[in-house]
Amino acid sequence: MPARRAKCRAGFSTGPPASAPNSTYDPTPLLNPILHPPASAGLPSRRLRPTLSLATLNLCVALWLLLALNLPFWRALWQALGGFGAAPAGYLLTLPLFVLAWVWLVLELLTWGRAARPVLALLLLCSAAAGYFIQAYGIVFDRGMLTNLVETHPAEAGELLSWRLLGWMLLFGVLPLLLLWRVHLPAPRWPRQLLTKGVVMAALAAAMALIVAPNFQSYAGLMRNHRDLRPQLVPTNFLAASLSLARARMTPARAFEVVGRDARRGASVAGQKPKLLLLVVGETARAANLSLNGYPRPTNPALAAFAAQNPAELISLRQVSSCGTATAVSLPCMFLDPGRSGFEDGMAQQRSSLLDVLQGAGVAVLWRDNNSGCKGVCDRVPIEDVSALKLPALCSSGECWDEVLLHGLQERVAQLDRDTVVVLHMKGSHGPAYHLRVPPAFEHFQPLCRSNQLDQCAREQIVNAYDNTLRYTDHVLARSLALLKQNAARVDAALLYVSDHGESLGENGLYLHGLPYAMAPHEQTHVPMLLWLSAAMRERGGIDTGCLQQRRDEALSHDHLYHSVLRLMDVHTTLYRGERDLFTPCAAARPGVAPG
């Protein structure tokens, strides 16, 4: 038994070998497998990191973008083609190859040297975000949409965030990003990389030419007749939009152009009470949902009651088109004299606005804002940001409801001593969180969508939430009219309300607004315009409201705002164009002004 124990002890001994009793023990051979594991042990080795050339990596990224993030593009393309049988089979089969070659070529142009991986990472993240909003809201990414994104108030942008967006970004943005970083990407010397790049891009260009040649007429017709497809293709849509916007922003600003220097007051100013025009600029209201325009739901109960008590005074002009489909375009456009046909991006910072002309002629001007600013048109007149008042009764969740625009207005009216234009810029019906635009007491239509993920709500809930915003706007406008009427002894008053653009509520899978004007649905460009004139204001301007009521279905646009306000405030200038004055057919000729 002792002998057996001795053998066991000897078997587990960690000391030096018995055959070398006087040697020094070296444990390195035993520890080597731990300190220096073979490639097949422990952490993953380069064998688990695939080695790809840059061209192959770009191809993989292009395939991912086209297959994972461009479903709306392929759907729109299929609808444009009309499906099987509507186009040659060869043409249909080559289209995906052409699009793949195009996106691959764009990636080759953008990725160089050590910057290739970071560029692809940024593209993957941006593409995932673009893909989400295109998929969820049916929007397209062009320069106008990117401008809206850049100029959007942080609180409005925050309404677009959701857990669903986070999950989407993790799956379609972060996951491919992690895979991208696992790829081993050799870094060849620049001469070799230039040669490889040249060969790949030449091959792609040649392949695209060979694809197009047999079906040239079909491809030419597609690109000519369906321009709306281009801003739907990720990632070239936001890349083109970014380039266009950067070019516009980097272009040296022109010298500020002062127009309307000749503006002067008319004869009706002398010896009269001050005029007061409340110019109410709505947000995202569409004309089709106003009960004053025949909508079957009671979205204008307060204004309807006002009209019943004041017959023929309140006029709803039913066929008004907006300058654009987003605030960044429509708001400056309606306050500038060139109108929609002559409007250019950035013009409000480079040219006198209607408010400047009025102020130069001696009319007091005040801009009261409960939205995200005036986009440059009020930069040179007094401004009040009422959204910062933080009144408990009128504000909640970090923003104020539109009734805050009337806070303290009576005190201002009581002190008026000259003709005045007060602009009230509403938050209105801005989405997607329509439910945040109204106090709880105005949640009349139920059930309503309380999510910013509109495609996850039933359409009935979306329309209910949206119609509640119009019902609240109706309340604010009715209160504004009551304020003007109670001051009839002090001022000759008028109210003009017009929205900046409309809104899509799920029709044809579209939500929100901002589509390029040429492809925008009627819901995004058809806006309400309401007009009320006191008896004294009608008399001073020689305006026949009965005539206006009869002409309420005539086509008008934002272009009529500028020149109609000039008439109401009796301001004369060579900028005035009678054909763009909505009062011209129903008012006395202006002294010294040729009829339009």
Side-chain angles (χ1 to χ4, degrees):
M1 192 68 164
R4 186 175 300 172
R5 287 177 183 169
K7 288 181 180 179
C8 290
R9 291 192 194 104
F12 286 97
S13 174
T14 58
S19 59
N22 298 322
S23 63
T24 303
Y25 173 60
D26 181 10
T28 302
L30 292 174
L31 295 177
N32 267 338
I34 300 174
L35 297 176
H36 307 286
S40 60
L43 297 175
S45 69
R46 184 169 291 182
R47 286 190 298 175
L48 298 181
R49 294 185 62 195
T51 299
L52 298 179
S53 67
L54 181 56
T56 305
L57 180 60
N58 283 335
L59 171 60
C60 294
V61 172
L63 284 169
W64 167 260
L65 294 174
L66 294 182
L67 295 176
L69 298 175
N70 272 288
L71 180 60
F73 168 78
W74 296 119
R75 187 187 303 120
L77 177 61
W78 187 252
Q79 292 173 350
L81 295 174
F84 286 119
Y91 170 51
L92 291 175
L93 293 174
T94 59
L95 267 170
L97 297 177
F98 180 84
V99 176
L100 174 61
W102 166 245
V103 174
W104 187 0
L105 179 61
V106 170
L107 296 182
E108 290 292 334
L109 290 169
L110 294 175
T111 53
W112 295 85
R114 296 183 181 276
R117 202 192 305 264
V119 168
L120 288 174
L122 181 61
L123 274 175
L124 285 169
L125 290 175
C126 292
S127 297
Y132 172 81
F133 288 108
I134 293 173
Q135 178 78 22
Y137 298 108
I139 66 172
V140 298
F141 265 91
D142 62 353
R143 175 175 156 182
M145 182 61 69
L146 188 60
T147 301
N148 297 337
L149 181 63
V150 171
E151 298 185 3
T152 295
H153 191 274
E156 295 176 354
E159 292 177 5
L160 297 171
L161 303 179
S162 65
W163 289 110
R164 185 183 175 202
L165 172 59
L166 176 60
W168 177 285
M169 291 300 296
L170 290 174
L171 178 60
F172 292 102
V174 176
L175 178 59
L177 197 67
L178 295 176
L179 296 175
L180 170 69
W181 236 258
R182 291 297 303 158
V183 172
H184 174 62
L185 190 62
R189 296 181 182 276
W190 274 103
R192 181 180 178 82
Q193 185 173 156
L194 288 172
L195 177 61
T196 304
K197 280 276 188 183
V199 171
V200 172
M201 288 191 285
L204 289 171
M208 292 170 64
L210 290 173
I211 290 173
V212 170
N215 301 284
F216 178 77
Q217 292 300 328
S218 298
Y219 276 95
L222 180 69
M223 295 178 184
R224 180 177 60 252
N225 300 325
H226 298 281
R227 298 176 183 270
D228 56 303
L229 291 172
R230 281 180 277 181
Q232 298 186 64
L233 178 60
V234 177
T236 56
N237 51 3
F238 66 79
L239 290 174
S242 301
L243 182 62
S244 177
L245 182 61
R247 189 186 300 119
R249 295 292 171 92
M250 293 174 64
T251 301
R254 296 178 297 184
F256 189 85
E257 184 177 4
V258 178
V259 299
R261 292 180 185 273
D262 62 334
R264 57 183 175 80
R265 309 302 307 284
S268 70
V269 175
Q272 301 282 346
K273 290 183 293 184
K275 287 183 177 180
L276 172 60
L277 170 62
L278 278 189
L279 180 52
V280 186
V281 180
E283 171 69 55
T284 320
R286 61 190 221 174
N289 287 50
L290 264 66
S291 55
L292 290 176
N293 292 345
Y295 187 57
R297 309 181 84 183
T299 52
N300 302 122
L303 290 178
F306 178 89
Q309 297 173 5
N310 304 272
E313 287 190 8
L314 183 65
I315 304 167
S316 177
L317 302 165
R318 299 176 175 178
Q319 299 299 328
V320 180
S321 299
S322 64
C323 275
T325 62
T327 305
V329 174
S330 282
L331 188 60
C333 179
M334 71 172 80
F335 281 91
L336 294 172
D337 60 291
R340 180 172 177 264
S341 61
F343 178 76
E344 297 176 3
D345 184 36
M347 186 176 281
Q349 288 79 27
Q350 302 166 355
R351 186 181 182 91
S352 302
S353 73
L354 170 63
L355 304 182
D356 297 315
V357 174
L358 293 171
Q359 187 170 254
V363 177
V365 177
L366 173 64
W367 182 284
R368 305 194 100 199
D369 202 284
N370 190 38
N371 204 314
S372 56
C374 65
K375 313 305 180 186
V377 299
C378 67
D379 287 355
R380 295 160 294 279
V381 304
I383 305 170
E384 288 182 357
D385 181 7
V386 296
S387 67
L389 293 178
K390 298 181 180 179
L391 302 173
L394 298 173
C395 306
S396 177
S397 302
E399 68 174 64
C400 294
W401 297 303
D402 281 330
E403 209 165 351
V404 74
L405 289 163
L406 305 181
H407 179 74
L409 191 57
Q410 173 58 48
E411 290 75 11
R412 287 188 168 276
V413 174
Q415 298 173 10
L416 288 185
D417 57 0
R418 57 174 171 150
D419 290 0
T420 301
V421 173
V422 177
V423 183
L424 306 180
H425 188 199
M426 307 181 86
K427 191 79 168 181
S429 304
H430 197 285
Y434 304 120
H435 64 288
L436 296 180
R437 305 289 91 86
V438 303
F442 286 86
E443 293 179 347
H444 177 79
F445 301 107
Q446 296 283 350
L448 53 89
C449 179
R450 296 186 182 276
S451 171
N452 57 2
Q453 301 174 53
L454 297 182
D455 61 331
Q456 300 300 297
C457 289
R459 188 164 187 275
E460 176 193 5
Q461 296 175 328
I462 298 172
V463 174
N464 285 343
Y466 180 82
D467 283 352
N468 285 336
T469 66
L470 296 182
R471 195 176 172 97
Y472 180 59
T473 294
D474 169 79
H475 166 75
V476 176
L477 292 177
R479 276 206 58 199
S480 302
L481 289 171
L483 183 148
L484 294 178
K485 287 187 72 71
Q486 74 184 32
N487 286 279
R490 297 203 69 260
V491 296
D492 296 336
L495 182 144
L496 181 59
Y497 165 81
V498 62
S499 182
D500 58 352
H501 54 79
E503 185 87 327
S504 289
L505 299 176
E507 299 87 359
N508 299 314
L510 299 177
Y511 299 92
L512 305 180
H513 52 267
L515 285 177
Y517 204 92
M519 62 179 291
H522 191 59
E523 292 84 5
Q524 294 190 24
T525 61
H526 184 205
V527 295
M529 180 182 281
L530 303 176
L531 172 68
W532 174 81
L533 303 174
S534 67
M537 187 70 93
R538 296 196 301 270
E539 183 178 350
R540 288 175 68 171
I543 298 171
D544 182 356
T545 52
C547 170
L548 288 174
Q549 287 281 13
Q550 294 176 359
R551 304 173 69 96
R552 62 188 179 184
D553 288 319
E554 291 192 2
L556 301 171
S557 73
H558 276 164
D559 290 356
H560 288 79
L561 175 72
Y562 190 103
H563 308 277
S564 302
V565 170
L566 288 177
R567 176 191 281 272
L568 279 178
M569 302 311 294
D570 199 15
V571 172
H572 295 247
T573 169
T574 52
L575 296 174
Y576 171 79
R577 295 175 59 179
E579 71 275 12
R580 292 186 176 180
D581 178 356
L582 67 89
F583 300 109
T584 295
C586 300
R590 304 183 71 194
V593 178

